[in-house]
Each structure stands twice: as structure tokens, then as C-alpha cells.
């Protein structure tokens, strides 16, 4: 079938940079979906986005071919009303019905539909289905959208394709416009490559990724020509590519005297407030240069905009940063501690001062260790930087400034570093710290936060998680995964609840269970993300019972070990033997309506059942002396795998459902004991 | 020669008058932004078309820096434009106004950067952008979606120029205080410093150190009561004035540092309730008049 090229552009006012990439993907997926629903065949769909344009290019079939439908109606002996009803519903008189194999049938043809008649509906449906995080209304349009749109363009098979877009009260046209400032004139492309090239000539790069690459290239080139190295910033690269249709670049100089504040403060201000890139000089120091991605190519070579860029907001911000830094250094971090009693952490959870008291209470379990003094010091200082001028101005510098000020003021290296690291991990790709102080402080702080919110009935719902509790929970899990043994969440939460009772108010009774279920969901999520199979994960989860331990690292270790072991033949045999045992015990206990079978050695008769019992006893004795730790996991697994042969032999030689009820009951009892032994390691019943 | 500060204002008034805006005078009361002027806050509600432009001196007590910061003052000038209903070419109108001021656009970097302006005290919110010129915000460009918690129907375009910022771009200077105010050469020349530095110093001291806190607390309560009382008599304009007075009293109390974090939310809620009540009565009245 012939495929025709279809190009569509929706043109309007600047779409926020942070929405663009997902909008591009949505537009693509929705177009394919809506075409499919209407029966229109499309191929090679590509979408593009600039701050002002939403673009689509696809190859669409010229038509939906005619279809012959053969529809079955009521039985030949159906009441007249049913037959009449059928005829009415398909608009066919009874005479035209066919009779076949006891039923009425009707054959009719749906005529071919021209793509020209279908595409407008597809485009309207596609755009209507798009969802933006925020939309607005404007006078001309009946439909809210991210920002006003004023113009549309479409061509089909090289010719202007004019149709209505009632959702915006617009009509497509035969032209587009070049860059708003550099080449605003109308253009009349007749193919996609024409469209793309005419726009490039008019200073518009339609592909987001291409703009990113262009920006990166220009930055690298400028860096080289000034003997500098670019400080890479992927997020800023993406953002700036969403702020321009054509990435021009401006390199400006900074007065080195402005560099009084620490590097992190300077680059944060440059990146966050001014959307500028920073560089390093050959000695790896921060270079007195910045790069701005501009939406123009100044004819005067940048003379006019230099003033604004070099003397404007960036300079003012860096001066502020330097001023704040100098002021902050005058106050030792510990001096802020009493003020924290006046800062509310959350209206339900008391002050930051209360939080510190609770952290101290939890930390007391380490009082006999050599790190205890440092841990106490780190707790005392960890929230101080929130009250500094610098963090007051640049909230994202929390922790970073803590470390810098601590070091400057003579705190130990471990304590200083912990003040920054204890926030980590903050997101999926973030580093997980390994230093004892950082990990411990991080765990205690996160657990205190999670316990407090859940203990007051605040849990995330659906899409609302204003206190980022999911992220906190994931952080706790990733910290615990890195620990060796002793990662019992139950113990930690119980300790935290104690702290709340002492230094704020007691929490609800069911807090522990609520947190554990919440954590369990997050745990399953993390393990699934790592690629572990669903059934293995479920098998390794503990039963959530008050008081029972919830050892996160162990759960992960089990999941990891079993995923590997169960792929091998030995693992497969182990499961099949287990399943065989379960199957017969479950079936029989249902028939008998009992929950368990008793077992006694003296009722063992055949060699294989004695052999199975002997093996069971041997393994039980061995495992009693082998604690279930991460190190011993594979040994435990091997012991269970060793049942494969005895079980196989048992089922070969022994008839479980022996006519003798004593023998039968005993054999079921023996199998139950084997099952119980397996279940003490993991819930093997969940393995598929 | 680039435009003086007073010439910039005259040219903007000229431009928007030519477009068809009525050129109003500033509201003769302390307020934080041009949006609080009834010509925006109230007139953006309801169906009646309205195109207006005016200078509005604005006060943000907490932003005082005793004249030591070259770009931040507690008193500054906004040029406010309200276009109702929002024209389809709103952005082009704005860009042309900059050209009218002599800004040679392709030689400057102009970007529309996402910013959805909000006033919690007015219950006003819109979607739009900060307009950045050479890395500096010079204008807030907003499509009003609601005021006083009420949907705007039709939606208006609000363009708020930061006059000092624009002047520094046009005159190619660094500090607000260096702005050439009257465009006179020689001994008659007056800069922003000449006209306003002393006020800036004295008001910074007043806002942060000397404003009578007891009076301010009492005034806040009084203005709130008076606003409500006047609304019961359907005197919406005098009532709204008292709402603005209450808002300014709150801003001063904040600058004095006597309002705690938790209380702040309460005060904002109170002013917002007054603003909403005024907007409700305003809409009622304008519907009746129609």
C-alpha cells in the first residue's frame, strides 16, 4: 500500500522547558494510538519539539481500504421481534438477510475512507488527549493548553492540507514562520526535508537532541579556544535546549574578585539562577568565565548584551554569595543549635530542636562504640547550615555548606563530610555513602522523618507525596542494602517511636506495621527495578508481624541469591520436588479438612521414606547450627537442594495415598516437615 | 543618546495609548505591585473589555537594603499594562514596545522563561513568563487565570515592566542608582540616586527598625474590620482600599521581623479572604450594572 508523507506543526508561545521532552513523547505515542483506533495505518512516526513548535512527521496510508463485514444475527428460529431488532440495528431490510447454518447473516461493505478525511479527526483527538502538568485558558480557544497557540501547518503528499482544529478554534495553513527574531518571515515547505532545511536556514533547529548536541559542541569549542575545560551539566544542557530555537552562545568574563564564595555556591548560582555553564582553568580551579545559551545571533558580535550579562544579575548574585559566605564564617555552626528550637520542622512533628533530641536518643545505641563522640557532634551540627545566609538564599546548598563551614571551622574530616553525605542518596542515580558517620546519621534522620509522618497518619496517596516520603523510604532501603548484617528495620523504627514518646509525643499504635507495609512496597519496587523476578521477590519477603524482624539487606541478598540459584538445573529440580510435595499435601489436607498431619518415626516402613526422614533429620541438625546470615545463604540453599534426590526416590517408591490410613497420614506428615523446612528459608510456595 | 528614565515612561505611555489603552494614573496608596491597583485587581474580573496602562510605584518593605544594593530597593516603579481580553498578538505587542524604546532586539538576548506569577494575598494566579533580557528579568508577562480565587472570564494579559531594570539595559549601566532620570546634561542632570537615595536609606531604617509595631498590629485589625463593614454597605472601592492597607501593614510587620513562620500563613489567609470578599461584591455589582 502506498504511504504518503504527512507533516504537521502547531505553533504558539513558549512552552516551559521542563515539559518539552515528555510532551514530544506523548504526542508521538498518542498519534499512533489514535490512528490505530481509527484504522489508519501509519509508519515511521517522528515528533519534534522547540519552545514554540510541536511537530509531527509520519508516513500514512492513502486510505483505509474498503472492508467487507459478515455479521451474524439471531438464530433462524428466533422470535420475530429479535429478527426485526437486528435488522433495525444494522439498517438492512429482512429480505437481504442470508441464512446459513441455523443463523441469519448479513454481509455489508464499509467503503474505503480517504486519509484526508480521517487525519483531521486523528489530530484533534491526539491533541485533546495530551496532558500537561499545568494548562491555561485564553480567549480564542475552547480548550486549555500549556500556552496559547496561534497557528498550525500541515502538508500531505507535498500539498497544503487544510483542515480545522476546533479544539483551538484554528485552521491549518500552508506556511510556517522562521526564528522569531532572526528570520521571522513566512516559509512554504512542500516536504519534511524541505520543512527541516528551510527552518535551519531560518535559524530553527527542530530536534531537541540536536540542539543539545549543538550547544555541547559550541561550549566545547569555546572552552578549547580559551584553554578551559567545560564543567558538564546534562540537566542544564537539556534545559537550555528548551529555551531557544537556535542555540547561540555568549561567553562572558567574570571578575575573579567575585569568587569569594565556595565553588559550589558559585556554580549553583550560575546554573540555577542564571542558567549559565561554568569552566575550569588548566589548574582545575573555577575559571572566571561563564557561557550563556542565547536565543539570537547578535549582529554586533555581542557588544550590546555583554553589559547585561557581565554586569547584571550574575554579578549581583555572586556578590551576594560572597557576602553571605563571609558573614556565615563568623558564626560557629554549633552556635545555631539553640535557634533550632524555634524552627518548626513540621507543624505535627515539632521543632528541628526536637528532631535533634530524638536523633541523640536513637544514637545512644552506639554509645559504646569509638565513633559515638563524632556521631553526637555530627547530629549537633547537621541542621545548622539551614540557618546560614547562604543556605537561606540557595536552599539546594544544604549539606554542602555544612561540610564547607565545618571544615573551615576546624571540625574533624569525618564529621564535616557526614554533614553533606547524610542527605544521600537523594534520588535514583545518586551516590550511596559508605562512611559510618554519614550512613548512620542518614539512616537515623530519614527514619525519624518517616516514622514521624506515618505515626501521624501522613502517608503518600496516588500522585501526592508532598513530603517526599517515598524518596525517604527508598533512601533508607538503599542505605540498608549496603550494610552487612544487622539491618533490622523493626528495631530501628521501634527505637524511633521511643524517641518520639520522649521528645515530642507518642505515636499511634499501628505506626510500626504501617511503616513496614509501606517499606515493603518500596522494597518490592526497588528489587523489581534491579530486574529480579516478581515471584522470587515475593518468596523472600517476610511476613509482616509486629515484633518480627525486617532485615532489608537480607531480603535483597536472598532475592539476588535465589534468582541465580533457581536458574540452574539444581534450583529447578529443587522447586519441582518441592512443588510435588506441596501439591499432594495441599490436595489431601483439603480432602481431609485438616490443617496438619502428625508424624512418628515408628510408622516409617519403606527404605525411601526412612531415607527421606534420615536426610531431613541430618539437614535440620546441620542448619540449627548454621545461622541464617547473608554469608550462609548459599549453604542453606545447597542443603535444601540436597533433598532433590531423596524426594525423587521417595515419590518413585512410595505411594503416599496408601490404603492404610496410618501410613498415609505419616507420609503426608513427613512431607509436611520437609515443606516446613523449606519455608523456614523462604516462601517457596510463591515461586512459579 | 539612550532614553532617560522619564522618557522611557513617556514612551511606554505613548506606545500603549496608541494601541488603545487608557493611560491611568498610579493609585495613590502603598501597594506591593501594580496588580493591586483596582484597575487590574478588580477590572480583570467580569466580561467587560478593558485596556489600561499606568505607572505604579511599588513598595516591598522587606527588600530594603539601605541603598547599598545596586539592584534591590524597597521602593521602585512598575509599568503595568492590562489587556482584556488577552489579544492573540500579546507577545508581539510587548516586543514592539521594547523596539519603541529603542531596544535593538537581535543584538540582545530575549527569552521567555517559564514563571507562573502568583499573589497569595490577592488570591491571584496566572501562567506566563519572566522576560529575560541579557540574563536579567525585566518584565513579568502573565495570562491571568484567577483573581480573588475567581476564574477570569475572559482571560487578560498582564505585562509588568520593571522600569529600573529596563532602564539599566537601555542606558547600559550597572546600578539602579546610576539611572539617568531626566536626560539633562551638565549641572541639571538628575540621577536615580539624586532623586531617591535619601528616601531609600530612611525608609529602610523605618521598615526594619522604627515602624511602630503596636500601631501596625492595631491598624491591621482596624483595616480588616472596616473592609468587612464597608462591604456590607456594598461600597466595594473604599472596602478594597482597606484591604490594600491591611496588606501593606502586614508587609511592614514582616519587615520588622515580628511575624513567625506559622503566623505568616494566617495573616496571608486573612488578607486573601478580604480580597476575595471584595472581588465577589465587585462582580455582583458589575453584573447588576450590565
Amino acid at each position: 500500500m502506498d504511504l504518503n508523507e504527512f507533516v504537521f506543526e502547531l505553533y504558539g508561545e513558549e512552552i516551559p522547558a521542563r515539559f518539552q521532552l515528555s510532551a514530544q513523547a506523548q504526542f508521538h505515542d498518542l498519534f499512533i494510538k489514535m490512528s490505530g483506533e481509527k484504522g489508519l495505518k501509519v509508519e515511521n512516526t517522528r515528533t519534534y519539539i522547540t519552545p514554540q513548535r510541536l511537530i509531527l512527521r509520519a508516513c500514512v496510508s492513502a486510505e483505509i481500504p474498503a472492508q467487507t463485514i459478515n455479521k451474524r444475527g439471531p438464530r433462524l428460529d428466533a422470535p420475530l421481534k429479535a429478527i426485526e431488532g437486528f435488522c433495525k440495528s444494522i439498517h438492512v431490510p429482512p429480505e437481504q438477510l442470508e441464512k446459513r447454518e441455523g443463523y441469519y447473516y448479513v454481509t455489508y461493505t464499509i467503503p474505503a475512507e480517504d486519509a484526508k478525511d480521517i487525519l483531521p479527526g486523528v489530530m484533534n483527538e491526539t491533541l485533546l488527549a495530551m496532558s500537561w502538568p499545568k494548562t491555561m485558558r485564553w480567549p480564542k480557544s475552547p480548550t486549555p493548553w500549556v500556552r496559547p497557540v496561534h497557528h498550525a501547518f500541515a502538508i500531505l503528499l507535498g500539498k497544503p492540507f487544510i483542515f480545522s482544529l476546533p479544539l483551538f478554534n484554528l485552521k491549518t495553513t500552508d506556511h510556517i514562520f522562521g526564528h522569531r527574531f532572526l528570520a521571522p518571515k513566512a516559509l512554504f515547505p512542500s516536504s519534511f526535508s524541505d520543512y527541516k532545511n528551510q527552518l535551519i536556514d531560518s535559524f530553527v533547529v527542530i530536534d531537541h537532541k540536536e540542539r543539545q548536541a549543538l550547544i555541547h559542541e559550541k561550549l566545547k569549542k569555546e572552552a578549547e579556544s580559551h584553554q578551559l575545560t567545560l564543567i558538564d551539566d546534562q540537566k542544564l544542557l537539556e534545559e537550555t535546549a528548551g529555551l531557544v530555537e537556535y542555540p547561540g552562545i555568549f561567553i562572558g568574563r567574570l571578575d575573579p574578585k567575585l569568587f569569594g564564595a565556595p565553588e559550589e555556591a558559585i556554580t549553583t548560582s550560575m546554573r540555577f539562577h542564571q542558567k549559565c555553564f561554568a569552566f575550569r582553568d588548566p589548574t582545575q580551579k573555577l575559571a572566571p568565565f561563564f557561557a550563556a545559551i542565547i536565543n539570537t545571533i547578535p549582529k554586533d558580535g555581542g557588544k550590546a548584551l555583554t553589559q547585561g550579562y557581565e554586569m547584571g544579575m550574575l554579578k549581583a548574585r555572586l556578590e551576594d554569595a560572597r557576602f553571605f559566605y563571609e558573614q556565615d564564617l563568623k558564626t560557629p555552626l554549633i552556635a545555631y543549635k539553640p535557634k533550632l528550637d524555634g524552627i518548626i520542622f513540621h507543624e505535627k512533628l515539632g521543632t528541628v530542636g526536637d528532631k535533634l533530641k530524638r536523633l541523640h536518643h536513637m544514637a545512644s545505641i552506639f554509645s559504646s562504640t569509638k565513633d559515638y563522640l563524632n556521631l553526637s557532634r555530627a547530629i549537633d551540627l547537621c541542621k545548622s547550615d539551614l540557618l546560614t545566609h547562604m543556605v537561606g538564599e540557595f536552599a539546594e546548598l544544604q549539606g554542602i555548606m555544612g561540610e564547607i563551614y565545618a571544615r573551615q571551622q576546624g571540625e574533624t574530616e569525618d564529621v564535616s563530610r557526614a554533614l553533606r553525605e547524610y542527605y544521600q542518596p537523594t534520588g535514583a542515580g545518586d551516590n550511596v555513602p559508605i562512611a559510618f558517620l554519614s550512613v548512620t546519621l542518614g539512616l537515623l534522620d530519614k527514619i525519624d522523618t518517616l516514622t514521624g509522618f506515618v505515626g501521624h497518619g501522613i502517608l503518600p496517596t496516588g500522585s501526592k507525596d508532598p513530603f517526599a516520603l517515598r524518596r525517604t523510604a527508598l533512601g533508607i532501603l538503599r542505605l540498608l542494602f549496603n550494610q552487612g548484617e544487622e539491618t533490622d528495620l523493626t528495631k530501628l523504627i521501634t527505637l524511633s517511636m521511643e524517641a518520639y514518646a520522649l521528645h515530642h509525643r507518642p505515636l499511634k499504635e499501628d505506626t510500626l506495621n504501617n511503616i513496614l507495609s509501606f517499606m515493603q512496597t518500596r522494597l518490592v519496587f526497588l528489587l523489581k527495578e534491579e530486574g529480579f523476578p516478581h515471584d522470587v521477590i515475593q518468596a523472600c519477603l517476610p511476613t509482616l508481624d509486629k515484633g518480627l524482624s525486617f532485615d532489608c539487606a537480607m531480603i535483597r541478598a536472598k532475592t539476588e541469591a535465589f534468582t541465580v540459584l533457581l536458574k540452574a538445573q539444581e534450583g529447578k529440580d529443587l522447586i519441582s520436588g518441592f512443588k510435588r510435595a506441596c501439591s499432594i499435601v495441599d490436595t489431601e489436607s483439603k480432602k481431609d479438612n485438616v490443617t496438619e498431619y502428625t508424624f512418628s518415626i515408628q510408622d516409617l516402613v519403606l527404605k525411601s521414606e526412612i531415607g527421606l526422614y534420615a536426610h531431613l533429620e541430618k539437614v535440620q541438625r546441620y542448619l540449627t547450627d548454621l545461622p541464617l546470615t547473608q554469608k550462609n545463604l548459599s549453604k542453606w540453599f545447597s542443603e535444601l537442594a540436597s533433598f532433590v534426590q531423596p524426594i525423587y526416590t521417595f515419590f518413585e517408591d512410595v505411594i503416599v495415598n496408601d490404603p492404610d490410613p496410618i501410613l498415609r497420614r505419616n507420609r503426608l506428615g513427613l512431607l509436611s516437615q520437609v515443606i516446613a523446612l523449606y519455608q523456614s528459608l523462604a516462601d517457596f510456595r510463591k515461586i512459579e | 543618546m539612550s532614553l532617560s528614565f522619564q522618557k522611557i515612561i513617556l514612551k511606554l505611555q505613548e506606545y500603549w495609548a496608541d494601541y488603545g489603552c487608557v493611560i491611568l494614573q498610579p493609585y495613590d496608596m502603598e501597594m506591593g505591585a501594580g496588580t493591586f491597583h483596582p484597575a487590574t485587581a478588580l477590572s480583570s474580573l467580569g466580561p467587560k473589555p478593558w485596556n489600561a496602562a499606568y505607572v505604579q510605584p511599588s513598595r516591598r518593605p522587606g527588600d530594603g537594603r539601605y541603598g547599598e544594593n545596586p539592584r534591590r530597593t524597597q521602593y521602585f516603579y512598575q509599568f503595568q499594562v492590562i489587556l482584556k481580553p488577552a489579544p492573540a498578538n500579546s507577545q508581539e505587542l510587548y516586543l514592539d514596545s521594547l523596539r519603541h524604546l529603542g531596544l535593538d532586539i537581535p543584538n540582545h538576548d530575549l527569552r521567555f522563561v517559564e514563571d507562573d506569577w502568583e499573589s497569595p494575598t490577592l488570591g491571584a494566579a496566572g501562567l506566563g513568563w519572566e522576560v529575560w533580557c541579557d540574563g536579567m528579568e525585566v518584565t513579568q508577562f502573565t495570562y491571568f487565570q484567577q483573581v480573588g480565587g475567581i476564574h477570569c472570564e475572559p482571560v487578560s494579559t498582564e505585562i509588568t515592566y520593571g522600569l529600573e531594570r529596563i532602564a539599566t539595559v537601555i542606558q547600559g549601566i550597572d546600578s539602579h542608582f546610576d539611572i539617568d532620570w531626566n536626560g539633562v546634561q551638565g549641572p541639571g542632570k538628575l540621577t536615580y540616586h539624586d532623586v531617591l537615595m535619601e528616601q531609600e536609606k530612611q525608609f529602610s531604617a523605618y521598615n526594619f527598625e522604627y515602624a511602630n509595631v503596636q500601631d501596625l498590629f492595631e491598624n491591621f485589625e482596624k483595616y480588616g474590620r472596616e473592609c468587612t463593614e464597608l462591604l456590607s454597605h456594598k461600597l466595594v472601592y473604599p472596602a478594597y482600599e482597606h484591604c490594600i492597607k491591611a496588606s501593606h501593614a502586614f508587609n511592614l510587620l514582616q519587615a520588622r521581623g515580628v511575624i513567625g513562620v506559622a503566623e505568616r500563613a494566617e495573616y496571608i489567609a486573612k488578607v486573601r479572604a478580604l480580597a476575595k470578599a471584595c472581588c465577589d461584591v465587585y462582580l455582583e455589582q458589575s453584573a447588576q450594572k450590565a
Side-chain angles (χ1 to χ4, degrees), chain A residues 13 180 295-296 299 309 311, chain B residues 91 106-107 109 143 145 174:
Chain A
E13 301 182 8
R180 182 205 265 287
N295 196 26
T296 188
K299 285 178 286 185
Y309 266 112
M311 294 304 179
Chain B
Q91 282 189 331
N107 279 334
D109 176 40
Y143 289 105
Q145 304 294 294
D174 195 3

Side-chain angles (χ1 to χ4, degrees), chain B residues 73-145:
Chain B
T73 51
Q74 51 88 49
Y75 184 81
F76 57 98
Y77 294 98
Q78 290 186 340
F79 190 85
Q80 175 85 341
V81 178
I82 185 95
L83 307 170
K84 177 188 179 208
N89 61 341
S90 294
Q91 282 189 331
E92 266 316 304
L93 287 171
Y94 167 73
L95 293 170
D96 276 344
S97 75
L98 295 183
R99 293 182 182 106
H100 192 71
L101 293 176
L103 199 72
D104 181 10
I105 289 189
N107 279 334
H108 288 275
D109 176 40
L110 272 175
R111 277 178 287 164
F112 287 84
V113 179
E114 178 199 7
D115 186 56
D116 300 331
W117 185 85
E118 227 180 57
S119 163
T121 40
L122 267 185
L127 267 67
W129 310 267
E130 291 176 355
V131 183
W132 285 26
C133 181
D134 305 338
M136 208 172 28
E137 180 195 346
V138 295
T139 302
Q140 182 71 38
F141 191 112
T142 309
Y143 289 105
F144 263 145
Q145 304 294 294

Side-chain angles (χ1 to χ4, degrees), chain A residues 19 71 156 269 415 536 595 647:
Chain A
F19 298 163
K71 193 169 179 177
L156 183 61
S269 184
V415 168
V536 176
T595 48
I647 290 183

Side-chain angles (χ1 to χ4, degrees), chain A residues 241-505:
Chain A
L243 288 172
V244 299
E245 287 210 300
Y246 179 82
I249 189 168
F250 171 76
I251 304 290
R253 286 176 182 277
L254 289 167
D255 185 349
K257 282 203 296 256
L258 292 170
F259 282 5
E263 246 185 48
E264 288 88 344
I266 297 174
T267 52
T268 298
S269 184
M270 286 172 70
R271 174 200 327 125
F272 192 71
H273 290 122
Q274 299 303 124
K275 307 188 199 297
C276 289
F277 291 86
F279 300 91
R280 291 202 186 285
D281 69 18
T283 71
Q284 290 311 301
K285 262 181 34 222
L286 195 62
F289 288 90
F290 66 91
I293 306 308
I294 59 180
N295 196 26
T296 188
I297 302 173
K299 285 178 286 185
D300 66 354
K303 194 155 150 274
L305 54 81
T306 300
Q307 174 74 36
Y309 266 112
E310 289 190 351
M311 294 304 179
M313 285 317 293
L314 182 53
K315 178 163 175 267
R317 298 255 186 224
L318 295 184
E319 277 170 345
D320 280 349
R322 183 184 58 187
F323 174 72
F324 295 147
Y325 183 63
E326 286 163 4
Q327 290 304 107
D328 287 339
L329 279 176
K330 294 181 186 158
T331 311
L333 287 177
I334 193 73
Y336 292 104
K337 189 174 163 208
K339 299 212 180 107
L340 294 170
D341 291 330
I343 309 284
I344 304 280
F345 170 53
H346 179 268
E347 55 159 332
K348 292 214 168 95
L349 303 183
T351 65
V352 177
D354 290 333
K355 183 183 243 283
L356 291 192
K357 292 197 186 88
R358 293 192 298 267
L359 293 181
H360 276 299
H361 176 83
M362 292 174 76
S364 60
I365 58 172
F366 297 101
S367 57
S368 56
T369 66
K370 63 176 168 47
D371 296 299
Y372 180 61
L373 275 174
N374 274 348
L375 181 59
S376 291
R377 186 68 175 170
I379 291 173
D380 275 340
L381 301 182
C382 67
K383 303 290 180 194
S384 291
D385 70 347
L386 301 177
L387 291 176
T388 58
H389 288 104
M390 190 72 92
V391 177
E393 180 70 14
F394 306 119
E396 51 292 337
L397 289 180
Q398 74 183 10
I400 297 172
M401 293 321 297
E403 179 184 25
I404 292 175
Y405 291 141
R407 218 180 257 128
Q408 289 276 7
Q409 291 168 359
E411 301 290 336
T412 67
E413 181 55 33
D414 283 342
V415 168
S416 305
R417 191 182 48 216
L419 299 187
R420 174 179 52 88
E421 286 193 335
Y422 88 99
Y423 286 98
Q424 296 166 1
T426 53
D430 198 14
N431 199 36
V432 181
I434 45 176
F436 171 81
L437 270 191
S438 312
V439 171
T440 309
L441 183 55
L443 266 175
L444 297 186
D445 182 51
K446 289 179 173 52
I447 286 178
D448 177 80
T449 298
L450 186 63
T451 306
F453 279 110
V454 178
H456 282 88
I458 301 175
L459 270 168
T461 64
S463 53
K464 286 200 165 105
D465 185 10
F467 303 110
L469 296 180
R470 284 192 185 107
R471 196 172 59 198
T472 304
L474 292 174
I476 293 170
L477 289 171
R478 292 176 66 206
L479 284 167
L480 290 174
F481 284 172
N482 272 11
Q483 295 309 291
E485 320 298 338
E486 282 310 295
T487 60
D488 185 3
L489 204 50
T490 303
K491 255 209 288 189
L492 288 169
I493 296 168
T494 309
L495 187 59
S496 176
M497 291 177 67
E498 228 174 68
Y500 268 94
L502 283 171
H503 298 292
H504 187 55
R505 70 172 83 94

Side-chain angles (χ1 to χ4, degrees), chain B residues 2-4 8 98 101-103 165-173:
Chain B
S2 52
L3 296 177
S4 65
I8 289 172
L98 295 183
L101 293 176
L103 199 72
R165 292 275 176 90
I166 301 248
T168 57
V169 173
I170 288 179
Q171 296 182 6
I173 49 170

Side-chain angles (χ1 to χ4, degrees), chain A residues 599-652:
Chain A
F599 163 78
S600 111
I601 303 177
Q602 60 220 53
D603 293 327
L604 293 171
V605 168
L606 296 176
K607 204 169 84 163
S608 332
E609 59 184 329
I610 296 173
L612 178 60
Y613 173 69
H615 191 80
L616 174 68
E617 218 200 12
K618 187 178 110 193
V619 171
Q620 274 174 334
R621 240 182 300 132
Y622 177 67
L623 290 179
T624 312
D625 292 328
L626 188 70
L628 185 51
T629 63
Q630 288 185 44
K631 225 174 20 144
N632 292 335
L633 265 183
S634 52
K635 283 216 190 88
W636 266 73
F637 198 91
S638 304
E639 290 301 311
L640 291 185
S642 72
F643 275 90
V644 171
Q645 195 54 47
I647 290 183
Y648 180 77
T649 318
F650 175 88
F651 277 115
E652 287 293 291

